[in-house]
Amino acid sequence: MKTTFLFVTENMTALTTGSARAGGIQAFKSDQFAQNQSGLKVTLRTGGCAPGKRRSPLRTPRRSPSLHWPVFTEMKDLLTLVPPLVGLKGNLEMTLASRLSTAANTGQIDDPREQYRVVSSNLALVQVQAAVVGLLAAVAALLLGLASGQGLDVVEAQVLCASSVLTASLAACALGTLMVCIVVGARKLGVNPDNIATPIAASLGDLITLSLLAVVSSFFYRHRDSQYLTPLVCVGFAALTPACVLIAKQNPPVVRILKFGWFPIVLAMLVSSLGGLILNKTLSQPQFRGMAVFAPIMCGVGGNLVAIQTSRISTHLHLWGTPGVLPLWMKKCWPSPCSTFCSSEINATSARVLLVLVVPGHLAFFSIVSLLESQSVPSERTFVLLYLLAGLVQVTVLLHLADVAVRLVWRRALDPDDHCIPYLTGLGDLLGTGLLALCFLAHGLLRTGVWPSSPLDPAPGPS
C-alpha cells in the first residue's frame, strides 16, 4: 500500500510540475499573434480593458519572461526547433534516468567503484548524444523551413545550430547530474527510482530546456554580426566529443549504445520535428488561439506517463526475465488493449493508475491556464470535452504501444530503456500536437458550422 501511494503521489507531482512549460511556449503564440495583428511589440495580457478606460492596478498585465526575447519573432525556424529540443528529455534524460533506475534496482551501483564507472560513462554518453542530436535537430528545422517555403539565411542558420547544440549540451549536463543524485539518493533511502527519477526528468526537462533556449539563442542573436562566435561554439563541442567518447567506453553496455543506439534518438527527433512544424504553422492563425499554451501540456503529460510505464516494464523484465526470452505471464508479443489495461498483471495495474490520472491532471492544468490566460484560450465546455478526449486518446494509445514495444524489443535482446522511450516520447509529441490541432478545428466547426482552414493548407495565390 505504501508503494502504491508513493507511485501515485510522485506521478501527480510530475504532472503538476509539467505545467510550468506552458509559460515558455505561450510566448511564441503571443509573439506571432500580436505581430500579425498589430505589428507592435508583444504584450501579453490576462485581463481586458475597454478603450479609453484606465486599467486598475489590480489587473496589471502579466508578462511571460520569454516575451522579452525578440529572437522568437525574428527567427521562425526557432519555433520548429522547440519540440525536438524539448523532446531530448525523452531521448536522453529520461532514457538516462531509466537506465540508472534499472541499474540501481538490480544492484549495479551499490559498489562505490562500480557506481563511479556507471555514472561517469553514462554522463559522458549523454553529452555525446546531446551535441550530435542538437546539431541534427537544427538541421532538420532548417530543412523543414525550406520545405514549407521559408528562405535560408546563413547567419540565422549559424545562430540556430549554435543555440541548439549549446542548449542541448547544457540541459543534458544539468539534468543528467540531477538524475544521478536522485537515483543514488533513492537507492540509499530504499525508494524505487522508477517512481521518482523519470517523472522529474520529464517535468524539469521542459522548463530547463526552454529557459536555456531563450537565453542562449538571444545571446547568439544579439552577437550574430560576430563572424567567429557561432562557428567556434560548434567546433569547440566537436573537439570535446572524442574525450567524452573515451570516458563512455569504460562501460561495455554504454559502448553498445554508442555504436547501435543512434537510430532511436535520431528517428524520435525527426518525429518530434514534425510536431514542431504543426506548432509553427498554427501559431499565427487566430482559430488556433491557445494552441501554444496547451501543446506543451498535452505533449508533456503523454510523454511523462508513457516514459514512467516503459521504465517500470523494463525494470520488471530486467528483474524477472532474460534478454531474448519473455516471462510466462508476458509471453504474448502483441498483447491486446484489453490485456494492457484489464488484466491482473502488475504492469496492467500501473497502466490503469496512469490512465486514471489523465483527466484530473488535464482539468487541473486547464483551470490554471484559464485563470492566468483567460483572454488567450478558449474556455467553452465543448472545447474542454474535446481537449480531455484528445488527452485520453493520446495516453491510451501510448500506453498500449509501450506494452507492445517493450515486449518486441526485449524479444530481440535489446534494452527497452534505450530503444523504446525515445520512440514513444517522440510519437507522443507528434500525436499530442496533431490531436490538439484537431480539437481546435472541431471546436471551430461546432461553434460556427464552418470547417476552419487547416494550418497546413497552401496559402491562396494572388487574385
Side-chain angles (χ1 to χ4, degrees), residues 313 326 329-341 343 345 399-408:
I313 299 176
L326 289 169
W329 56 90
M330 296 179 64
K331 59 183 179 180
K332 291 184 179 179
C333 289
W334 295 88
S336 64
C338 183
S339 174
T340 300
F341 295 101
S343 67
E345 295 180 7
L399 291 178
H400 178 60
L401 289 179
D403 195 14
V404 175
V406 170
R407 298 181 189 218
L408 292 177

Side-chain angles (χ1 to χ4, degrees), residues 27-52:
F28 307 156
K29 184 270 300 179
S30 300
D31 287 348
Q32 292 283 337
F33 186 77
Q35 189 181 49
N36 291 337
Q37 296 296 322
S38 62
L40 301 177
K41 290 293 183 180
V42 180
T43 301
L44 177 62
R45 292 180 289 186
T46 58
C49 183

Side-chain angles (χ1 to χ4, degrees), residues 13 45 79 87 133 240 349 391 395 404 413 423:
T13 303
R45 292 180 289 186
L79 298 176
V133 177
L240 289 175
T349 302
V395 174
V404 175
Y423 290 134

